[in-house]
Amino acid sequence: MLFLWLYMFYSCAGSCAGLTTRGSPAPPRAAPPLPPLLPGEPGEESSLEEQRAAPDAGSPISSFFNGSGTKRLPQAIIIGVKKGGTRALLEFLRVHPDVRAVGAEPHFFDRNYERGLAWYRDLMPRTLEGQITMEKTPSYFVTKEAPARISSMSKGTKLIVVVRDPVTRAISDYTQTLSKKPDIPTFESLTFKNRTTGLIDTSWSAIQIGIYAKHLENWLLYFPIGQILFVSGERMISDPAGELGRVQDFLGLKRIITDKHFYFNKTKGFPCLKKAEGSSKPHCLGKTKGRTHPDIDQEVVQRLRDFYRPFNMKFYQMTGQDFGWD
């Protein structure tokens, strides 16, 4: 009798699986959830849409790649600045086992705020208890609405700003634009409203971003200075382990990222990782990083240094740090 019951059970297992109660139509299958984001490749900003190519969130394959955990709103955000070294900092931090970060720049607090916090949270990687969720979007630092919006999400959000000599930063910004639009005017012509009078054109974003003190005033309306860490883009090159040590302390992480993780790439002119996240191979940032800057008229460079000096001095006072740009 037992053998007969087993035979009927296995015979029906395949054919009966799709049957429902007599007279009741089979319920429609629910649409699969949107797949989670994969970490972006280093280099230029990658689009969020391009990264929705991972397995479904509930599948065993997804569990293998993402592990267990929960999608949380970020507890720390790299908010700036463009061409300061934010991509390098994020890639270095992702070596830490307790840091999970979005690869692409979400641009939530400047371009996508109307999509809502649920949309923003869905972009985040899954984290375990004790891990930190992070993202980086350098344009937040110069976006007037961003401080209030981030404060509204969480007043306790830790903020990181990577700053760099504003003159060098402006030239780097111009170099990036030049690589995409070779027919743009010269750096010298864009710098001045009137070169004869020497009046600097502060409406040009490459110049305007570097007035750090002005932008910081807006953030201090919503966040105390102790909740913002200022990372030196220059020291990220000369002493990456030292700067990463400060960042790990600020985030409340154990100092796992040390000198042993870096080597200096003479061709690119900046540090690279001996082993990237999830890899056993050395890793440098993409070819879009470390571009050769065009030769700029030294008189123009000096005028820019004179222009930025008072703003730099104020920024040093506000942050309690001398970045040595003069």
Side-chain angles (χ1 to χ4, degrees):
M1 192 66 185
L2 177 60
F3 290 111
L4 178 61
W5 182 84
L6 289 172
Y7 172 77
M8 292 176 66
F9 176 79
Y10 284 109
S11 297
C12 188
S15 58
C16 298
L19 297 181
T20 58
T21 305
R22 185 177 295 176
S24 299
R29 289 188 176 182
L34 283 174
L37 294 179
L38 287 173
E41 289 299 316
E44 295 295 341
E45 174 189 343
S46 53
S47 71
L48 296 171
E49 289 77 10
E50 288 174 354
Q51 295 189 47
R52 290 194 172 275
D56 290 347
S59 72
I61 297 177
S62 176
S63 298
F64 177 79
F65 282 109
N66 295 323
S68 58
T70 306
K71 291 192 175 188
R72 298 180 175 91
L73 292 169
Q75 298 94 42
I77 303 175
I78 300 173
I79 59 172
V81 298
K82 180 184 180 186
K83 307 311 293 181
T86 60
R87 170 58 63 181
L89 177 59
L90 186 68
E91 291 300 315
F92 295 164
L93 276 174
R94 285 167 70 173
V95 173
H96 200 293
D98 290 333
V99 171
R100 298 282 285 129
V102 181
E105 295 175 3
H107 283 282
F108 176 65
F109 295 104
D110 55 358
R111 302 178 192 170
N112 294 302
Y113 195 63
E114 73 286 350
R115 293 177 182 257
L117 284 173
W119 177 87
Y120 184 49
R121 182 189 288 111
D122 190 53
L123 301 178
M124 299 299 133
R126 295 182 183 276
T127 52
L128 303 173
E129 193 66 33
Q131 290 184 316
I132 292 177
T133 303
M134 292 188 67
E135 70 114 319
K136 77 105 176 168
T137 303
S139 52
Y140 290 162
F141 189 64
V142 298
T143 299
K144 187 176 181 180
E145 300 80 10
R149 290 172 174 177
I150 295 177
S151 177
S152 178
M153 176 187 73
S154 172
K155 295 184 183 298
T157 306
K158 292 185 177 183
L159 308 174
I160 300 175
V161 187
V162 187
V163 288
R164 180 184 184 188
D165 182 333
V167 178
T168 309
R169 196 222 64 83
I171 296 171
S172 181
D173 198 336
Y174 172 80
T175 303
Q176 178 176 316
T177 305
L178 185 65
S179 70
K180 299 174 181 178
K181 301 176 181 178
D183 57 343
I184 61 170
T186 64
F187 180 89
E188 290 83 354
S189 62
L190 291 169
T191 296
F192 299 102
K193 285 185 178 179
N194 186 318
R195 187 164 182 177
T196 303
T197 61
L199 187 63
I200 303 294
D201 187 356
T202 56
S203 67
W204 184 29
S205 64
I207 299 296
Q208 198 256 356
I209 289 172
I211 308 175
Y212 303 139
K214 174 185 174 183
H215 304 301
L216 181 57
E217 286 176 345
N218 190 31
W219 287 89
L220 293 180
L221 296 175
Y222 299 89
F223 292 94
I225 193 71
Q227 210 166 309
I228 309 174
L229 179 69
F230 300 92
V231 175
S232 166
E234 286 82 14
R235 286 196 294 272
M236 278 272 289
I237 295 173
S238 63
D239 181 19
E243 284 300 280
L244 264 292
R246 294 180 60 243
V247 176
Q248 290 171 95
D249 292 347
F250 175 72
L251 295 175
L253 298 170
K254 184 179 179 180
R255 283 199 178 195
I256 289 178
I257 306 170
T258 62
D259 281 325
K260 68 181 181 181
H261 288 91
F262 301 99
Y263 73 95
F264 190 80
N265 186 305
K266 293 182 179 180
T267 302
K268 283 185 168 291
F270 53 71
C272 298
L273 290 168
K274 290 181 180 178
K275 293 181 181 180
E277 179 197 29
S279 173
S280 60
K281 298 179 180 179
H283 170 70
C284 283
L285 298 185
K287 63 182 180 180
T288 58
K289 305 301 179 183
R291 295 185 183 98
T292 302
H293 291 178
D295 291 329
I296 306 297
D297 187 329
Q298 286 307 300
E299 180 189 351
V300 173
V301 171
Q302 187 56 51
R303 287 196 183 186
L304 275 177
R305 294 209 176 281
D306 294 340
F307 166 78
Y308 279 121
R309 187 169 293 108
F311 297 109
N312 291 345
M313 294 301 106
K314 184 175 181 181
F315 185 66
Y316 295 172
Q317 287 181 316
M318 295 170 77
T319 61
Q321 291 180 240
D322 186 339
F323 291 90
W325 296 326
D326 295 291

